[in-house]
């Protein structure tokens, strides 16, 4: 009897630990703030009236359920050449608390949703639904209509770049999603898109090369996805380095083989269709002894801040200039057991998870915020280089202590601003707080 009681206690303890683990606690919840979007040619964000981030997180002994409308806290749009807008997805996603490795044939990442970011926004695979049609020597499928051969598939990050917004996302219909790391183009070391120029550059987080990247989502096999930087060694040592994709462009002069097998010919390799146009242009190479290179699934087993005992996890890969690097998030196959994660309803008994709002002083001080420009004339931006997991209150005071303006930096976003055009020249203080902790920074208004 004693042994059975002990085993039951350990089982319940294990379930409790799993239930309160990162698969439950990492999601950004919100029931009040609504989203915004930029219309074409208008740098003033407009309200869409849809709740941002995730609205509920519930867990059972084995699963976590995330309810979301699929709208981020950062503004979406504009989407050049794409008439769609981010809309309410009203979705429920079911993830396992304890994902498991697939020891059989790996499952390919299909078109569309392959992950969910912690703000409830969809993560898509690298392809855009268009493939080469050899009979017409042209692309077919997707918004262009028709059906391609399905052999040589276009890389969405390459071909849809002009239609991504500043946060590197766009809608499929109304389903707003990212194929890649959800950081703003404007803060890449090499800026390859000018879409951010008229707008305040905002995103889920900003890449910080000096700290382990945050956990940003979960793949459809249940394993976590991190940003691009991590501990060099899998045991959590070696400092912070960029995780490198193991994929590289193949050394080919014609698109007629894949994995050494002859296939239907694809587009010619030339200035119009350079290598990198198709996802099949890449091959994975092993890098023995180099732990900062990722496996063929774009991940590795390692220790992370959220998993101090280690877990398998994917990384949103970028190159040395922080431009997105294939295969971007996951793939082309999953490491774990895949399942369709979107469900119509919750059919088992669950417990609602309420996020802990209290934040330690140390954690608060680790959040770095920058005010710019300073001095400022018309628009003061407050940017965080951290993935915010709670809202920050921003108050602008004059030196007599009079409150002039208020706003918030919403969790799951990186930018807030004050319109300072109506303020007199002089020195002001911006107070940044989360209720129990606060810091103040000086700003000069000079018209």
């Amino acid at each position: 009897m004693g042994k059975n009681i002990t085993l039951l206690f350990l089982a319940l303890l294990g379930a409790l630990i799993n239930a309160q683990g990162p698969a439950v606690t990492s999601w950004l919840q919100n029931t009040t703030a609504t989203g915004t979007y930029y219309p074409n040619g208008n740098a003033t964000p407009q309200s869409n009236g849809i709740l941002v981030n995730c609205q509920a997180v519930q867990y059972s002994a084995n699963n976590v359920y995330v309810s979301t409308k699929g709208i981020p806290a950062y503004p979406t749009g504009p989407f050049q050449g794409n008439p769609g807008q981010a809309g309410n997805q009203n979705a429920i996603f079911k993830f396992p608390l304890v994902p498991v490795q697939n020891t059989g044939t790996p499952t390919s990442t299909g078109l569309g949703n392959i992950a969910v970011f912690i703000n409830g926004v969809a993560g898509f695979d690298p392809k855009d639904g268009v493939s080469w049609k050899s009979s017409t020597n042209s692309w077919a499928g997707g918004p262009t209509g028709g059906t391609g051969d399905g052999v040589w598939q276009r890389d969405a990050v390459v071909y849809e770049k002009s239609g991504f917004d500043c946060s590197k996302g766009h809608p499929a219909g109304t389903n707003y999603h990212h194929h890649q790391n959800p950081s703003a183009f404007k803060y890449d070391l090499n800026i390859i898109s000018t879409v951010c120029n008229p707008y305040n550059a905002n995103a889920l987080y900003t890449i910080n090369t000096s700290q382990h990247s945050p956990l940003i989502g979960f793949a459809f096999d249940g394993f976590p996805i991190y940003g691009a930087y991590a501990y060099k060694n899998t045991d959590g040592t070696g400092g912070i380095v960029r995780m490198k994709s193991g994929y590289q462009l193949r050394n080919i002069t014609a698109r007629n083989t894949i994995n050494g097998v002859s296939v239907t010919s694809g587009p010619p390799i030339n200035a119009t269709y350079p290598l990198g146009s198709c996802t099949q242009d890449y091959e994975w190479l092993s890098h023995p002894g180099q732990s900062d290179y990722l496996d063929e699934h774009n991940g590795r087993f390692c220790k992370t801040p959220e998993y101090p005992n280690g877990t398998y996890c994917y990384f949103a890969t970028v190159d040395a200039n922080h431009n997105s690097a294939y295969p971007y998030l996951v793939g082309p196959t999953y490491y774990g057991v895949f399942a369709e994660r979107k469900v119509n309803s919750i059919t088992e008994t669950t417990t609602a998870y309420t996020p802990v709002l209290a934040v330690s002083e140390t954690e608060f001080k680790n959040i770095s915020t920058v005010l710019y420009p300073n001095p400022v004339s018309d628009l003061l931006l407050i940017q965080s280089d951290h993935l915010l997991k709670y809202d920050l209150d921003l108050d602008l005071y004059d030196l007599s202590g009079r409150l002039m303006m208020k706003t918030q930096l919403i969790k799951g976003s990186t930018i807030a601003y004050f319109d300072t055009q109506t303020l007199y020249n002089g020195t002001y203080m911006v107070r940044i707080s989360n209720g129990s902790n606060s810091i103040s920074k000086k700003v000069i208004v000079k018209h």
Side-chain angles (χ1 to χ4, degrees), residues 22-234:
V24 173
T25 61
S26 298
W27 303 95
L28 304 180
Q29 293 194 53
N30 164 69
T31 57
T32 56
T34 55
T36 58
Y37 69 97
Y38 289 120
N40 278 325
N42 186 345
T44 301
Q46 309 294 308
S47 174
N48 60 23
I50 306 171
L51 291 172
V52 303
N53 296 332
C54 306
Q55 283 63 66
V57 176
Q58 302 169 71
Y59 62 90
S60 65
N62 299 307
N63 303 299
V64 58
Y65 296 86
V66 181
S67 300
T68 176
K69 301 186 184 305
I71 299 295
Y74 42 91
T76 60
F79 313 109
Q80 304 297 328
N82 185 339
Q85 290 290 347
N88 185 352
Q89 301 308 298
N90 199 29
I92 302 173
F93 292 95
K94 173 184 176 182
F95 289 94
L97 293 179
V98 184
V100 295
Q101 179 184 4
N102 178 5
T103 57
T105 302
T107 303
S108 297
T109 51
L111 285 171
N113 229 139
I114 63 168
V116 180
F117 293 102
I118 62 171
N119 59 354
V121 169
F124 269 35
D125 75 298
K127 303 178 289 293
D128 71 352
V130 176
S131 65
W132 188 255
K133 190 170 185 176
S134 57
S135 62
T136 60
N137 288 324
S138 63
W139 298 115
T144 62
T147 303
D149 297 334
V151 177
W152 297 93
Q153 298 168 311
R154 283 199 327 194
D155 188 313
V157 172
V158 173
Y159 275 88
E160 299 181 341
K161 182 181 71 175
S162 62
F164 293 142
D165 62 16
C166 184
S167 307
K168 302 178 184 174
H170 66 168
T174 62
N175 188 10
Y176 182 79
H177 60 275
H178 298 280
H179 294 268
Q180 58 196 313
N181 192 57
S183 57
F185 279 115
K186 189 173 183 178
Y187 300 117
D188 290 348
L189 301 181
N190 176 40
I191 300 174
I192 61 173
S193 172
T194 59
V195 67
C196 295
N197 287 0
Y199 311 97
N200 296 328
N202 208 332
L204 179 61
Y205 81 110
T206 302
I207 293 176
N208 185 328
T209 62
S210 66
Q211 60 184 222
H212 195 291
S213 289
L215 192 166
I216 59 174
F218 290 87
F220 270 19
D221 59 1
F223 285 100
I225 303 172
Y226 281 83
Y229 282 76
Y231 305 127
K232 180 177 181 179
N233 301 319
T234 58

Side-chain angles (χ1 to χ4, degrees), residues 354-374:
T354 301
V356 177
L357 298 179
V359 179
S360 69
E361 183 178 359
T362 300
E363 183 180 356
F364 180 80
K365 288 182 176 179
N366 283 338
I367 296 176
S368 175
T369 52
V370 177
L371 278 58
Y372 67 96
N374 192 4

Side-chain angles (χ1 to χ4, degrees), residues 173-447:
T174 62
N175 188 10
Y176 182 79
H177 60 275
H178 298 280
H179 294 268
Q180 58 196 313
N181 192 57
S183 57
F185 279 115
K186 189 173 183 178
Y187 300 117
D188 290 348
L189 301 181
N190 176 40
I191 300 174
I192 61 173
S193 172
T194 59
V195 67
C196 295
N197 287 0
Y199 311 97
N200 296 328
N202 208 332
L204 179 61
Y205 81 110
T206 302
I207 293 176
N208 185 328
T209 62
S210 66
Q211 60 184 222
H212 195 291
S213 289
L215 192 166
I216 59 174
F218 290 87
F220 270 19
D221 59 1
F223 285 100
I225 303 172
Y226 281 83
Y229 282 76
Y231 305 127
K232 180 177 181 179
N233 301 319
T234 58
D235 64 359
T237 65
I240 302 297
V241 298
R242 177 173 57 90
M243 292 291 99
K244 302 178 182 67
S245 169
Y247 284 86
Q248 67 176 32
L249 290 172
R250 297 163 61 194
N251 184 20
I252 55 176
T253 57
R255 292 184 174 100
N256 51 27
T257 62
I258 297 176
N259 296 325
V261 178
S262 295
V263 296
T264 302
S265 294
I269 298 174
N270 54 29
T272 304
Y273 309 109
L275 282 175
S277 298
C278 304
T279 58
Q280 290 74 26
D281 290 345
Y282 292 90
E283 62 182 350
W284 180 78
L285 296 180
S286 176
H287 293 78
Q290 295 178 272
S291 59
D292 52 340
Y293 276 89
L294 302 174
D295 65 17
E296 62 270 36
H297 310 291
N298 213 39
R300 67 176 189 173
F301 191 95
C302 60
K303 292 183 178 181
T304 73
E306 289 79 10
Y307 296 91
N309 295 321
T311 184
Y312 184 87
C313 51
Y314 302 99
F315 292 88
T317 40
V318 299
D319 64 17
N321 291 316
H322 293 172
N323 303 141
S324 300
Y326 180 86
Y328 313 119
L329 296 175
V330 179
T333 56
Y334 295 99
Y335 169 83
V337 176
F338 163 82
E340 175 54 55
R341 297 300 171 188
K342 189 175 182 180
V343 297
N344 294 324
S345 61
I346 300 173
T347 58
E348 60 178 323
T349 301
T350 59
T351 300
Y353 171 70
T354 301
V356 177
L357 298 179
V359 179
S360 69
E361 183 178 359
T362 300
E363 183 180 356
F364 180 80
K365 288 182 176 179
N366 283 338
I367 296 176
S368 175
T369 52
V370 177
L371 278 58
Y372 67 96
N374 192 4
V376 61
S377 60
D378 52 5
L379 196 68
L380 176 67
L381 299 178
I382 301 94
Q383 181 188 16
S384 170
D385 69 357
H386 201 81
L387 192 154
L388 289 180
K389 295 187 176 181
Y390 48 86
D391 301 336
L392 291 179
D393 294 319
L394 307 175
D395 300 318
L396 181 67
Y397 294 90
D398 65 15
L399 291 185
S400 69
R402 182 174 53 164
L403 178 63
M404 308 300 292
M405 297 179 182
K406 292 177 65 70
T407 189
Q408 272 193 322
L409 186 51
I410 303 297
K411 56 181 172 285
S413 64
T414 58
I415 289 282
Y417 63 91
F418 288 115
D419 185 345
T420 58
Q421 294 181 85
T422 60
L423 297 179
Y424 291 112
N425 288 349
T427 301
Y428 296 81
M429 300 298 294
V430 175
R431 183 175 183 267
I432 304 168
S433 67
N434 71 326
S436 56
N437 302 289
S438 68
I439 57 173
S440 294
K441 296 189 175 186
K442 183 186 298 185
V443 62
I444 296 173
V445 175
K446 186 176 181 181
H447 299 296

Side-chain angles (χ1 to χ4, degrees), residues 1-16:
M1 179 67 72
K3 181 179 180 181
N4 289 337
I5 292 175
T6 300
L7 291 174
L8 177 60
F9 171 77
L10 291 175
L12 291 173
L13 179 61
L16 178 62

